[in-house]
Amino acid sequence: MTDGSTSSPHGVRQGRSWFTAGWVAMGRGLAMFGLGLLAVFLAWFALTAMSLVLVGVGLFLVPPMVAAVRWSAQAQRRTTSASGVEVASPYRAAPSVRGGRLGAWHRCWALVTDSATWRDLLWAQVAVTVGGLLAIIPFGMLAHGVFGLLLPLIWEPVVTAWDGSWYLFIPLRDHDDAVMAAVLGFVEIPLGLFIAPYVLRLHARLTHSLLAPTEESRPSARIQHPAGPGTDLVDSSGAEIGRG
């Protein structure tokens, strides 16, 4: 590929049965959803810190908050690479600045004007909405299928609590309906496991479109290799924090 990413033709299915691959992909999907949920909170803290720059306190809050967002984005890149779509890190090299308020201003300016910072913030919003919902579809099918299997045993309290309940396209009125729901649940569980690797790959493509380096940022990217497992990732803002 010309955009700095590589992908395995089989992704998480390579060397595994569909059953095992489904469980692995489902676990990674939940991990991605968790990372997205964390990232959206970190992103809003970072945006709040940026809004406080003009009053001074934001100068010292922006670098650690942006570093936290970048940490979550790098974790997402590593998780994505495990599904067969590797994503390079796009961050600029940390500028050499002095200490004090002027140095803090230069550090903030370097982070705020780095397009990768804003792409990370955009990814954080998508990761917990479109991407997050996409990542947990297979797990949702698993949970819903288990619920269907249990309906023959619990249909009465369910119908009592939620009048006019349905399971997919089956209205729950009596035990026979609950048995039909259990049959559908029995089918839904393996179906969720089967589609999990494909859903994960789609999620990985979405992540790549948001977190991979752009053509403009590539010449100045600090890290030119994929952010896979075991990669030594040095965050530019994190380095500045340690330097301070």
Side-chain angles (χ1 to χ4, degrees), residues 157-241:
V158 168
V159 171
T160 300
W162 294 285
D163 188 26
S165 298
W166 289 66
Y167 184 88
L168 295 179
F169 54 84
I170 297 177
L172 297 177
R173 295 166 299 195
D174 52 34
H175 185 265
D176 290 340
D177 293 336
V179 171
M180 292 178 62
V183 173
L184 283 179
F186 183 77
V187 174
E188 193 173 7
I189 292 173
L191 182 60
L193 290 172
F194 181 78
I195 70 168
Y198 299 102
V199 172
L200 185 67
R201 296 272 296 173
L202 182 59
H203 185 280
R205 295 293 183 184
L206 175 63
T207 299
H208 179 271
S209 69
L210 294 171
L211 291 182
T214 62
E215 290 301 321
E216 291 77 11
S217 65
R218 188 172 302 282
S220 61
R222 180 174 187 174
I223 304 173
Q224 298 296 331
H225 50 76
T231 302
D232 184 18
L233 300 173
V234 182
D235 187 299
S236 61
S237 57
E240 288 302 319
I241 296 168

Side-chain angles (χ1 to χ4, degrees), residues 32-40 44 76 121-137 203 206 210:
M32 287 180 172
F33 177 75
L35 280 171
L37 190 61
L38 173 63
V40 75
W44 282 107
Q76 182 74 79
L121 295 174
L122 173 62
W123 158 76
Q125 312 311 309
V126 176
V128 78
T129 52
V130 178
L133 293 175
L134 183 65
I136 62 172
I137 283 175
H203 185 280
L206 175 63
L210 294 171

Side-chain angles (χ1 to χ4, degrees), residues 105-117:
W105 169 257
H106 287 157
R107 281 194 293 271
C108 284
W109 182 253
L111 292 171
V112 170
T113 57
D114 188 349
S115 62
T117 298

Side-chain angles (χ1 to χ4, degrees), residues 38-39 42-43 62-74 235 237 241:
L38 173 63
L42 294 176
V62 168
M65 292 314 307
V66 170
V69 174
R70 290 188 174 188
W71 171 85
S72 64
Q74 291 286 48
D235 187 299
S237 57
I241 296 168

